[in-house]
Amino acid sequence: MEALHEAVKDLEVAARPNPQGLLFPARNGALRNPNNFGRTWRAARGENFAWVTPRTFGKGVATAVDHAYEDTARAARQLGNTVEVARTHYIDVPETVPDNREVLERWVRGASPKV
Protein backbone atom coordinates (compact mmCIF):
# COMPACT_ATOMS: atom_id res chain seq x y z
CA MET A 1 0.00 0.00 0.00
CA GLU A 2 2.86 2.31 0.78
CA ALA A 3 4.29 1.91 -2.74
CA LEU A 4 0.89 2.71 -4.25
CA HIS A 5 0.54 5.86 -2.16
CA GLU A 6 4.03 6.89 -3.27
CA ALA A 7 3.06 6.42 -6.92
CA VAL A 8 0.03 8.68 -6.48
CA LYS A 9 2.25 11.28 -4.72
CA ASP A 10 4.64 11.16 -7.68
CA LEU A 11 1.75 12.09 -9.96
CA GLU A 12 0.97 15.05 -7.71
CA VAL A 13 4.58 16.22 -7.65
CA ALA A 14 4.72 16.03 -11.45
CA ALA A 15 1.67 18.35 -11.52
CA ARG A 16 -0.31 15.90 -13.63
CA PRO A 17 -4.06 16.22 -13.21
CA ASN A 18 -5.39 13.48 -10.98
CA PRO A 19 -8.52 14.70 -9.19
CA GLN A 20 -9.69 11.17 -8.32
CA GLY A 21 -6.34 10.03 -6.89
CA LEU A 22 -6.00 7.25 -9.46
CA LEU A 23 -2.83 5.20 -9.66
CA PHE A 24 -2.79 5.07 -13.47
CA PRO A 25 -4.90 7.98 -14.69
CA ALA A 26 -5.24 8.95 -18.33
CA ARG A 27 -3.19 11.95 -19.44
CA ASN A 28 -6.04 14.29 -18.60
CA GLY A 29 -6.51 12.76 -15.12
CA ALA A 30 -9.65 10.81 -16.03
CA LEU A 31 -10.19 7.06 -15.96
CA ARG A 32 -8.36 5.16 -18.68
CA ASN A 33 -10.39 3.78 -21.54
CA PRO A 34 -10.27 -0.04 -21.24
CA ASN A 35 -9.92 -0.26 -25.01
CA ASN A 36 -6.56 1.51 -24.74
CA PHE A 37 -5.24 -0.73 -21.99
CA GLY A 38 -3.63 -3.21 -24.39
CA ARG A 39 -1.39 -0.62 -25.99
CA THR A 40 -0.29 0.75 -22.62
CA TRP A 41 0.26 -2.73 -21.18
CA ARG A 42 2.40 -3.85 -24.15
CA ALA A 43 4.61 -0.77 -23.76
CA ALA A 44 4.98 -1.31 -20.00
CA ARG A 45 5.71 -5.05 -20.05
CA GLY A 46 8.45 -4.86 -22.70
CA GLU A 47 9.99 -7.90 -24.33
CA ASN A 48 10.91 -9.75 -21.13
CA PHE A 49 7.27 -10.08 -20.12
CA ALA A 50 5.68 -10.34 -23.56
CA TRP A 51 4.04 -13.58 -22.45
CA VAL A 52 1.99 -11.69 -19.82
CA THR A 53 -1.36 -10.64 -21.26
CA PRO A 54 -4.66 -9.61 -19.67
CA ARG A 55 -5.75 -13.23 -20.21
CA THR A 56 -2.74 -14.37 -18.16
CA PHE A 57 -4.15 -12.48 -15.18
CA GLY A 58 -7.59 -14.05 -15.73
CA LYS A 59 -6.08 -17.52 -15.88
CA GLY A 60 -4.10 -16.91 -12.70
CA VAL A 61 -7.13 -15.61 -10.82
CA ALA A 62 -9.45 -18.40 -11.99
CA THR A 63 -6.89 -21.11 -11.27
CA ALA A 64 -6.09 -19.74 -7.80
CA VAL A 65 -9.77 -19.48 -6.81
CA ASP A 66 -10.63 -22.90 -8.25
CA HIS A 67 -7.72 -24.65 -6.56
CA ALA A 68 -8.23 -22.88 -3.23
CA TYR A 69 -11.95 -23.63 -2.97
CA GLU A 70 -12.29 -26.56 -5.39
CA ASP A 71 -15.25 -24.65 -6.80
CA THR A 72 -15.24 -23.98 -10.53
CA ALA A 73 -18.48 -22.01 -10.27
CA ARG A 74 -16.87 -19.63 -7.80
CA ALA A 75 -13.92 -19.08 -10.16
CA ALA A 76 -16.29 -18.50 -13.07
CA ARG A 77 -18.25 -15.91 -11.09
CA GLN A 78 -15.02 -14.10 -10.22
CA LEU A 79 -14.29 -13.70 -13.93
CA GLY A 80 -17.88 -13.05 -14.95
CA ASN A 81 -17.92 -16.16 -17.12
CA THR A 82 -19.87 -19.37 -17.30
CA VAL A 83 -18.46 -22.48 -15.65
CA GLU A 84 -17.82 -24.00 -19.07
CA VAL A 85 -15.86 -20.96 -20.31
CA ALA A 86 -13.83 -20.80 -17.09
CA ARG A 87 -13.07 -24.52 -17.19
CA THR A 88 -12.20 -24.56 -20.90
CA HIS A 89 -10.24 -21.33 -21.24
CA TYR A 90 -9.06 -20.10 -17.84
CA ILE A 91 -8.59 -22.75 -15.15
CA ASP A 92 -5.31 -24.62 -15.50
CA VAL A 93 -5.34 -28.32 -14.83
CA PRO A 94 -2.32 -29.41 -12.81
CA GLU A 95 0.27 -31.28 -14.85
CA THR A 96 0.93 -33.69 -12.01
CA VAL A 97 -1.38 -36.45 -10.95
CA PRO A 98 -1.78 -38.18 -7.60
CA ASP A 99 0.44 -41.18 -6.94
CA ASN A 100 -1.73 -44.08 -8.09
CA ARG A 101 1.00 -46.70 -8.43
CA GLU A 102 -0.36 -48.94 -5.67
CA VAL A 103 -3.86 -49.07 -7.17
CA LEU A 104 -2.55 -49.63 -10.70
CA GLU A 105 -0.20 -52.37 -9.51
CA ARG A 106 -3.11 -54.20 -7.85
CA TRP A 107 -5.20 -53.78 -11.00
CA VAL A 108 -2.43 -55.22 -13.21
CA ARG A 109 -2.12 -58.22 -10.92
CA GLY A 110 -5.85 -58.84 -11.03
CA ALA A 111 -6.53 -57.81 -7.44
CA SER A 112 -9.24 -55.44 -6.32
CA PRO A 113 -8.13 -51.85 -7.02
CA LYS A 114 -9.74 -50.62 -3.76
CA VAL A 115 -7.22 -49.50 -1.17
Side-chain angles (χ1 to χ4, degrees), residues 18-42:
N18 192 12
Q20 298 178 31
L22 302 171
L23 181 56
F24 300 112
R27 280 180 250 178
N28 65 358
L31 292 172
R32 289 188 176 270
N33 183 335
N35 296 325
N36 295 333
F37 175 77
R39 179 179 56 240
T40 305
W41 177 247
R42 286 187 297 278

Side-chain angles (χ1 to χ4, degrees), residues 37-82:
F37 175 77
R39 179 179 56 240
T40 305
W41 177 247
R42 286 187 297 278
R45 73 181 181 197
E47 291 298 316
N48 289 338
F49 296 100
W51 60 273
V52 180
T53 65
R55 185 168 183 260
T56 307
F57 292 116
K59 287 184 75 151
V61 166
T63 300
V65 171
D66 179 62
H67 291 182
Y69 295 102
E70 296 181 358
D71 186 352
T72 305
R74 187 176 189 146
R77 284 192 309 272
Q78 179 67 39
L79 296 180
N81 291 104
T82 64

